Amino acid sequence: MIGHLQCVVLDCSDAPALARFYRALLGGTVNRPDPRWSLDDGWATLHTGGGQVLAFQRVDDHRPPLWPDPGRPQQLHLDICVQDLDRAHAQVMDLGAKLIDDGGGTRSWRIYADPAGHPFCLVRD
């Protein structure tokens, strides 16, 4: 082993806003003091209750992915387990997510984009 995962970083145009979106989705603490990085308008973090850290980095000319367009690929996505897919759907839509692919109601997951355009999946647990 060379190292361990410190955090997952998502590029975006508004780091604090995207951190708040994921806090509402996953819980946790936005911008908890941490000696590993400094916080400012261009960098925000979310320490989740499960111990994972997501970081959000402002990119001035951010171009969000356009799933499934290979010209602007998803780059990464998060799978988020939920007990009730319909309830979770309503909650993320209220937070500003966009439904990308509902699977025609035949799958146990749906694909969304966060407010900055990053794909994520809600997966029935």
Side-chain angles (χ1 to χ4, degrees), residues 53-115:
V53 177
L54 296 178
F56 310 92
Q57 176 176 269
R58 185 183 69 231
V59 174
D60 291 335
D61 58 349
H62 178 254
R63 293 185 46 180
L66 292 175
W67 185 89
D69 181 355
R72 286 177 51 192
Q74 64 180 331
Q75 300 162 16
L76 76 99
H77 76 272
L78 304 174
D79 284 349
I80 300 166
C81 290
V82 298
Q83 293 295 315
D84 183 328
L85 196 53
D86 292 328
R87 180 171 178 239
H89 166 85
Q91 291 170 316
V92 299
M93 296 300 284
D94 285 346
L95 292 173
K98 177 183 173 188
L99 178 63
I100 296 175
D101 181 355
D102 69 1
T106 62
R107 299 187 313 230
S108 62
W109 74 92
R110 297 177 190 158
I111 305 167
Y112 300 82
D114 68 23

Side-chain angles (χ1 to χ4, degrees), residues 34-57:
D34 190 313
R36 295 176 289 183
W37 44 67
S38 61
L39 302 167
D40 59 30
D41 287 342
W43 181 267
T45 61
L46 174 67
H47 288 75
T48 69
Q52 300 86 10
V53 177
L54 296 178
F56 310 92
Q57 176 176 269

